[in-house]
Amino acid sequence: MTLLKSLGGLALSVSLVSSAFAGEITVNSDHSDPVPKKAMEELIADFQKANPDVKVKWNNFDHEGYKSAIRNFLTADAPDVVAWYAGNRMEPFVKAGLFEDVTDLWTANGLDDQLKSASSSMTIDGKKWGVPYTYYQWGIYYRKDIFQSQSINPPKTWDELLAASKKLKDAGITPFTIGTKVLWPTAGWFDYLDLRVNGYDFHMQLTSGKVPYTDPRVKAVFEKWAELVKPGYFIENHAAVDWQDAIPQLVQGKAAMYLMGNFAVATMKNGGLKEDQIGFLPFPEITAGLPVAEEAPTDTFHIPKGAKNKDDAKKFLAYVASPEAQAKMNATLGQLPVNNKAEKPADPFLLAGFEMLSKATAIAQFYDRDAQAEMAKAGMEGFQEFMVKPDKIDAILARLEKIRARVYK
């Protein structure tokens, strides 16, 4: 129990298997909610069955406690495996020399192909620093029956989206519902617009603080956004509405589309929509020919630099990366396997997401994962303000640039 005391008693539950010995690994994670906890218990049991010479000691933390604890245990008594996130969220630990390079593991297990969609978000300085095991898609969920009644085909380009939005608005239907009271739904719009206007590499540079918010390429994102905001293509009073409270607009047919994560489908069905009323479409192309990146928050496992049993830790990561392990774990989680050789999910929305993400050239996490916390908060406040006052683009971007210059100095 020494580890628990040294970390302030933050661990919720611990599965201990015998005393430390060769062939034992310690895994620290934040799978404290019931469903993720079950998924991890199954994963560990299956791994130990496949690797009877390796015993797993699992320390399970609550989410908020884990964010603080990981910084402590990576620099002190490091475990052999830690759960974390891809992209810019893992970069500080890589740059600080706290994560192990696992490029050889990717090469040996054919992961460059099987985990291709997440390859960019796991790569820093040309090396791989962990393995992804789950993600879920974002995209535009829409009322199929409304589209059919208005003779609208699911738009594949920005011009087609604008034309569909005008047709809906003219018919008395608001094109998009959204709730921006909690700010983060605005980030989904900013991320996708930037990915489609400027591309993944630029988006990652911006969210890691390397590009000024006053850069003309950032303004170009807001100018595209304004093409939906200014004509009134979003519901009114969205700043007073939470994301769940925006769903009745879709259910009642007052709005036709919702840019959101796949977790919202359950709320749509609970609200009264039948499965065959709901469609899913990827965010349309804006800059022609730009490699298609998608938004899919990705959870990962890493080996700390200070791990004591790196050989068996690599066995664990290789197992987690396998198609079979990912299919089973994500069936429990209700999310998507990153491995494109995994068994396809039966759920039609998960299947649509699996096929979309498997073809993606890169995966962005989400603005509040990819950007530093203070910058993310200020950015999302700016996004919400823009959606209410679209003529204030320059003032908002100037303010965000001041914050970026201070936060990333």
Side-chain angles (χ1 to χ4, degrees):
M1 297 301 290
T2 308
L3 176 63
L4 296 185
K5 291 178 182 176
S6 69
L7 296 177
L10 290 169
L12 288 182
S13 64
V14 186
S15 294
L16 297 177
V17 186
S18 79
S19 58
F21 60 94
E24 177 179 280
I25 59 170
T26 299
V27 177
N28 286 9
S29 77
D30 59 340
H31 295 86
S32 55
D33 293 340
V35 171
K37 184 171 183 282
K38 182 184 179 203
M40 272 297 288
E41 288 170 346
E42 292 172 348
L43 175 72
I44 290 170
D46 290 345
F47 170 75
Q48 290 187 145
K49 187 175 180 180
N51 297 271
D53 56 329
V54 183
K55 303 301 179 185
V56 177
K57 173 184 171 183
W58 177 35
N59 298 316
N60 192 19
F61 296 76
D62 73 276
H63 301 305
E64 292 308 308
Y66 191 74
K67 291 176 187 176
S68 303
I70 188 171
R71 287 164 177 79
N72 295 334
F73 57 63
L74 284 175
T75 54
D77 187 17
D80 301 295
V81 175
V82 295
W84 197 237
Y85 309 104
N88 288 348
R89 285 292 293 275
M90 77 174 184
E91 185 177 29
F93 297 136
V94 172
K95 295 299 187 185
L98 296 172
F99 279 170
E100 182 81 1
D101 172 8
V102 294
T103 307
D104 58 339
L105 185 149
W106 278 64
T107 303
N109 292 278
L111 301 183
D112 291 296
D113 174 52
Q114 294 179 43
L115 305 179
K116 182 169 55 178
S117 63
S119 179
S120 296
S121 59
M122 301 306 302
T123 303
I124 295 175
D125 297 331
K127 300 173 183 176
K128 301 293 193 301
W129 301 94
V131 298
Y133 66 93
T134 186
Y135 53 16
Y136 63 88
Q137 83 266 23
W138 272 65
I140 296 175
Y141 294 84
Y142 67 97
R143 285 285 302 269
K144 289 170 77 172
D145 49 345
I146 292 176
F147 271 40
Q148 288 166 0
S149 70
Q150 297 298 321
S151 300
I152 296 172
N153 293 319
K156 295 181 179 179
T157 67
W158 185 251
D159 287 344
E160 289 175 2
L161 181 66
L162 292 178
S165 296
K166 184 179 187 306
K167 193 167 188 178
L168 288 162
K169 183 76 171 175
D170 290 346
I173 302 164
T174 303
F176 283 98
T177 189
I178 188 173
T180 68
K181 183 177 180 180
V182 289
L183 301 179
W184 59 260
T186 64
W189 274 99
F190 177 78
D191 285 354
Y192 258 120
L193 286 163
D194 194 28
L195 290 169
R196 293 293 182 264
V197 171
N198 296 310
Y200 176 80
D201 290 341
F202 178 85
H203 186 66
M204 288 298 103
Q205 290 173 20
L206 178 69
T207 52
S208 61
K210 297 180 177 73
V211 176
Y213 277 80
T214 48
D215 188 295
R217 291 169 292 181
V218 181
K219 187 173 182 179
V221 172
F222 284 84
E223 288 170 340
K224 281 294 176 190
W225 203 347
E227 292 177 13
L228 294 177
V229 175
K230 288 185 176 182
Y233 292 163
F234 291 96
I235 62 167
E236 296 179 354
N237 302 319
H238 54 75
V241 178
D242 205 339
W243 75 269
Q244 298 102 320
D245 298 327
I247 287 179
Q249 298 280 331
L250 198 69
V251 174
Q252 295 163 17
K254 294 177 181 177
M257 293 180 278
Y258 199 5
L259 176 65
M260 186 48 63
N262 191 66
F263 53 82
V265 171
T267 310
M268 293 175 195
K269 289 180 178 178
N270 291 339
L273 285 180
K274 296 183 176 67
E275 193 168 278
D276 61 5
Q277 289 179 287
I278 309 168
F280 173 81
L281 64 95
F283 199 94
E285 178 185 76
I286 298 178
T287 300
L290 200 64
V292 178
E294 303 291 351
E295 182 102 315
T298 307
D299 294 351
T300 54
F301 282 109
H302 306 264
I303 300 174
K305 196 71 172 176
K308 299 173 183 65
N309 186 356
K310 292 180 182 177
D311 288 342
D312 288 333
K314 285 187 177 182
K315 286 184 185 177
F316 184 81
L317 261 63
Y319 184 82
V320 169
S322 68
E324 297 77 17
Q326 294 215 352
K328 182 173 181 179
M329 195 174 190
N330 282 283
T332 300
L333 290 170
Q335 296 191 168
L336 291 168
V338 182
N339 193 306
N340 57 30
K341 300 292 192 293
E343 183 179 348
K344 294 181 178 181
D347 176 271
F349 303 103
L350 287 174
L351 178 60
F354 180 79
E355 291 176 345
M356 178 184 78
L357 296 178
S358 293
K359 297 173 190 170
T361 60
I363 297 295
Q365 299 307 295
F366 200 74
Y367 185 77
D368 64 359
R369 284 193 184 196
D370 281 329
Q372 192 268 359
E374 186 179 350
M375 186 72 247
K377 180 176 182 294
M380 292 186 293
E381 289 170 349
F383 305 157
Q384 185 207 51
E385 182 182 359
F386 164 77
M387 291 191 70
V388 177
K389 301 172 183 175
D391 291 327
K392 294 188 67 177
I393 294 179
D394 290 332
I396 292 168
L397 292 178
R399 184 176 76 239
L400 294 183
E401 174 52 23
K402 285 182 181 178
I403 294 165
R404 182 202 69 87
R406 176 172 52 79
V407 168
Y408 292 99
K409 63 182 178 183

